[in-house]
Amino acid sequence: MAEAKEKNVTAGKDEAHIAVHWKEEEYFYPAKKFIEQANLKDPATVEKFNEKNFPKCFEDYAEMLSWSEKWHTVLDTNDPPFWKWFVGGKLNACYNCVDRHLAKHRNKAAIIFVPEPENEDPVVITYQELYNRVNETAAMLRDSAGLKAGDRVTIHMPMIPELPITMLACARLGVVHSVVFGGFSGEASGMRAADSKSRVLIYADSYYRSGKLIDHKSVVETAVETAKRDGQRIEKVLVWRRYPGKNGSAAPMVKGRDFFVDEVLKDFRGKKVEPVAMDAEAALFLMYTSGSTGKPKGCQHRTGGYLAYVTGTSKYYQDIHLEDVYWCMADIGWITGHSYIVYGPLALAATSVIYEGVPNYPDPARPWRIAERLNVNIFHTSPTAIRMLRKTGPEEPKKSNFHFKHMTTVGEPIEPDVWRWYYDTVGKREAVIVDTWWQTETGGFLCSTRPALDPMKPGSAGPGVLGIYPVIYDENGQELPAGSVKAGNICIRNPWPGVMQTIWGDRERFVRQYYQKYNKNPKSKDWHDWPYFAGDGALLAKDGYFRILGRVDDVINVAGHRLGTKELESACLTLDEVAEAAVVPVVDEIKGRMPEIYIALKPGVTTSHKDMAEKVTRTIETMIGKIARPKTVQIVPDMPKTRSGKIMRRVLAAISNTLDVGDITTLANPDIVEQIRVQVQGKEKVAKKEGPEDIKQFGSVE
């Protein structure tokens, strides 16, 4: 497609309006070889998911699973927006991911674990071996830890195969697992354990990261104490050892509470546990994600609808076949790993690769050596990883003999020039790319091109996926049509099976955060009246492709990880010296965005800026994790505020990113803006640049 002229829209007076400076990109078309073998190549499949066939169309996904009892109602809308899917159906997620594959595929690789140390060989776990290990682990969790269906358990583990084994063992029993990203702190783990009322924690002793064996068990005491402080007693801590029989942690084991799993499992060798048939609406897992308030929210996902949705989208959008070797280079501690490393691929009897460490260790060619050795042909990663690999080893993919048929990008918008390197150099112009947009809350993909049917367009996610009907509304609830070159809030007009059931323990927050904004009739039981508010800004082109512009609430997307600014600010405010804290995103070449922190100290505090900045950074690393480490900490005399006392984070974000601060005449203290600008940028005025849309409007939506 010929490149269109650059189009500009000037931001209006409404702070919520997102200014867009957008250039249309050219189309790239899927290769004939890919189209011929694709799972989603029949236009009749697309027609089946036409809105006139909603919600019955999603039976196509449900029928990919094995059910012990079939559903009698596809979608129950009697308690909006708490939708119920496949009502009356019963199934077990572990059975669907493991047991049912044994008859035909027991000797097929289910998981290939690649250790970070390159001198350690990959570990292949067949479906038969996975079945054995999951059963033994489930027996241990039931008989030794006393866990049963409906209980919650918090799992704080790195990327080792024992993590998906533990998740599947929980699913086998009907135990609700809550996995915490391994890079988070012990305090973050304990807080989540307390909220979910977990009495058992599951850890690893150690793992490799950037060439070092990290002591992970060392954070357990903080987790236990944090949970206790929040009213939850931890009865048992189960510790998987990276090397069975050898302890990689210096932390002491607490007698009667802490147990090495490899020792306990000796009593459960060969044990079998019958999978528990769970109601389709029974909770499968909790996934805690940052929000616009300080407390992380537990997104509760159901068993039947979630598993059906990730299985269907894995088949049609990841294009997984039995003979493929699929590598999603995400962390299982995030929703991408749950949906598209564990549950979706394994439900399809796929071979799923798990890599322990960082992609550029010991050098940026590591991913391509892994891909060549394992004959990976489907690759799935984030724009952050792509940017890093492009920067540190732009020519390295050309040196390895791998060939991807399909590549995914996930977690954040990808810049068109980064997309083109991914396509040209990594994909060798052979692979299709699906640029997916979705969220922890949504369970699976919401927007993406259909890999064999649609052309790709750099920087644009594409249309809604099968059975998803997106729309863009302005702040007044008016729909912005395709091609209007106006950005607004992307919403989903309809329910879908993968959407979260609720926020654990907080129904009111669930309604308020995701449905209240555009609901015009709270008493309506018609799903049309309950559009899902995603909290992302977007633009809809004439061709029906959505371009995602980033968060419209106060959440910073750091390397694909969503960090709530209120959570970061709350950590800062635990320090006695701090009077006020404001967190804004700043552009980072590798991570896309990083938090920059502004601190105003209490009167009389005399500590140096350097010491205070270091103290703030240490506090954030301790309370949240190193992923939240700020790029810079600025100690300022005051915050720019409205007359009502609201800190104008949009102004601070503009200063941090050398953007125009806009009209500040309505501020209660407009003079402070120039003081802060000089402190951050220097006395000489920096030429203002065009900034990313998600930063230009950051913090401006109430």
Side-chain angles (χ1 to χ4, degrees), residues 328-562:
C328 176
M329 201 172 66
D331 195 291
I332 294 173
W334 302 103
I335 191 66
T336 296
H338 277 49
S339 298
Y340 297 116
I341 295 179
V342 181
Y343 286 112
L346 294 183
L348 293 172
T351 295
S352 187
V353 175
I354 295 174
Y355 174 55
E356 178 179 30
V358 296
N360 60 343
Y361 182 83
D363 56 68
R366 183 70 188 280
W368 322 129
R369 291 197 296 273
I370 293 171
E372 180 179 348
R373 178 172 182 178
L374 301 182
N375 199 28
V376 173
N377 66 337
I378 304 176
F379 186 65
H380 186 160
T381 193
S382 68
T384 292
I386 299 166
R387 286 191 293 266
M388 179 184 67
L389 292 166
R390 182 179 73 149
K391 181 183 179 184
T392 55
E395 301 301 317
E396 292 300 333
K398 297 176 183 177
K399 301 175 184 176
S400 294
N401 186 28
F402 66 88
H403 294 275
F404 298 148
K405 71 168 187 176
H406 181 294
M407 304 190 305
T408 304
T409 174
V410 64
E412 56 189 312
I414 184 169
E415 300 84 353
D417 61 325
V418 177
W419 189 101
R420 280 187 281 269
W421 179 82
Y422 193 38
Y423 180 75
D424 292 337
T425 306
V426 179
K428 303 177 182 179
R429 301 187 72 86
E430 301 170 340
V432 298
I433 294 177
V434 292
D435 176 3
T436 62
W437 171 72
W438 58 299
Q439 304 171 318
T440 301
E441 295 90 338
T442 73
F445 303 147
L446 293 180
C447 285
S448 169
T449 50
R450 295 161 292 200
L453 296 174
D454 299 328
M456 302 159 276
K457 189 165 66 171
S460 293
V465 302
L466 298 177
I468 299 295
Y469 317 124
V471 63
I472 296 181
Y473 292 124
D474 66 15
E475 283 299 301
N476 299 316
Q478 296 300 308
E479 182 175 347
L480 298 176
S484 67
V485 204
K486 289 183 179 179
N489 298 315
I490 186 169
C491 299
I492 308 301
R493 292 192 293 105
N494 63 298
W496 66 98
V499 70
M500 64 190 285
Q501 291 174 291
T502 186
I503 294 174
W504 172 261
D506 200 339
R507 282 171 58 101
E508 289 183 7
R509 185 181 180 191
F510 174 72
V511 176
R512 184 174 67 250
Q513 184 155 348
Y514 300 106
Y515 291 95
Q516 183 173 290
K517 186 174 182 71
Y518 292 115
N519 172 246
K520 295 176 181 176
N521 180 7
K523 295 182 179 180
S524 173
K525 293 187 178 183
D526 183 344
W527 62 260
H528 294 85
D529 294 327
W530 293 90
Y532 170 87
F533 171 61
D536 276 339
L539 186 79
L540 179 58
K542 284 182 180 178
D543 57 13
Y545 282 32
F546 290 88
R547 171 171 285 210
I548 308 301
L549 302 174
R551 301 299 300 167
V552 297
D553 60 10
D554 292 339
V555 174
I556 302 174
N557 198 327
V558 181
H561 309 320
R562 290 176 59 198

Side-chain angles (χ1 to χ4, degrees), residues 159 306 431 436 586 683 701:
M159 285 289 286
Y306 169 82
T436 62
V586 63
K683 290 186 178 180
V701 177

Side-chain angles (χ1 to χ4, degrees), residues 293-313:
T293 63
K295 183 183 176 183
K297 55 186 181 292
C299 299
Q300 178 179 320
H301 282 282
R302 57 176 61 81
T303 301
Y306 169 82
L307 190 62
Y309 196 73
V310 297
T311 302
T313 49

Side-chain angles (χ1 to χ4, degrees), residues 200-235:
V200 175
L201 295 180
I202 304 179
Y203 269 78
D205 68 331
S206 58
Y207 62 97
Y208 281 97
R209 190 82 178 167
S210 299
K212 297 178 181 178
L213 189 65
I214 306 297
D215 186 341
H216 189 57
K217 168 69 164 63
S218 62
V219 306
V220 164
E221 293 309 319
T222 302
V224 171
E225 286 304 310
T226 301
K228 183 180 178 181
R229 180 196 70 201
D230 291 350
Q232 180 62 28
R233 178 173 172 265
I234 301 300
E235 298 173 9

Side-chain angles (χ1 to χ4, degrees), residues 45-108:
T45 303
V46 178
E47 179 58 28
K48 185 190 299 184
F49 283 84
N50 188 291
E51 190 170 347
K52 67 176 184 283
N53 298 321
F54 178 86
K56 191 173 174 58
C57 56
F58 281 115
E59 289 190 305
D60 183 79
Y61 286 0
E63 286 164 356
M64 296 179 189
L65 304 177
S66 298
W67 297 75
S68 53
E69 292 183 29
K70 192 169 180 181
W71 60 92
H72 55 69
T73 303
V74 176
L75 172 63
D76 180 345
T77 64
N78 283 317
D79 185 21
F82 301 92
W83 319 116
K84 293 181 173 62
W85 283 93
F86 309 120
V87 181
K90 290 190 175 182
L91 75 168
N92 183 274
C94 178
Y95 177 87
N96 274 278
C97 291
V98 184
D99 303 45
R100 69 179 182 144
H101 304 319
L102 297 182
K104 293 183 179 179
H105 308 298
R106 68 176 63 247
N107 295 319
K108 182 180 188 290

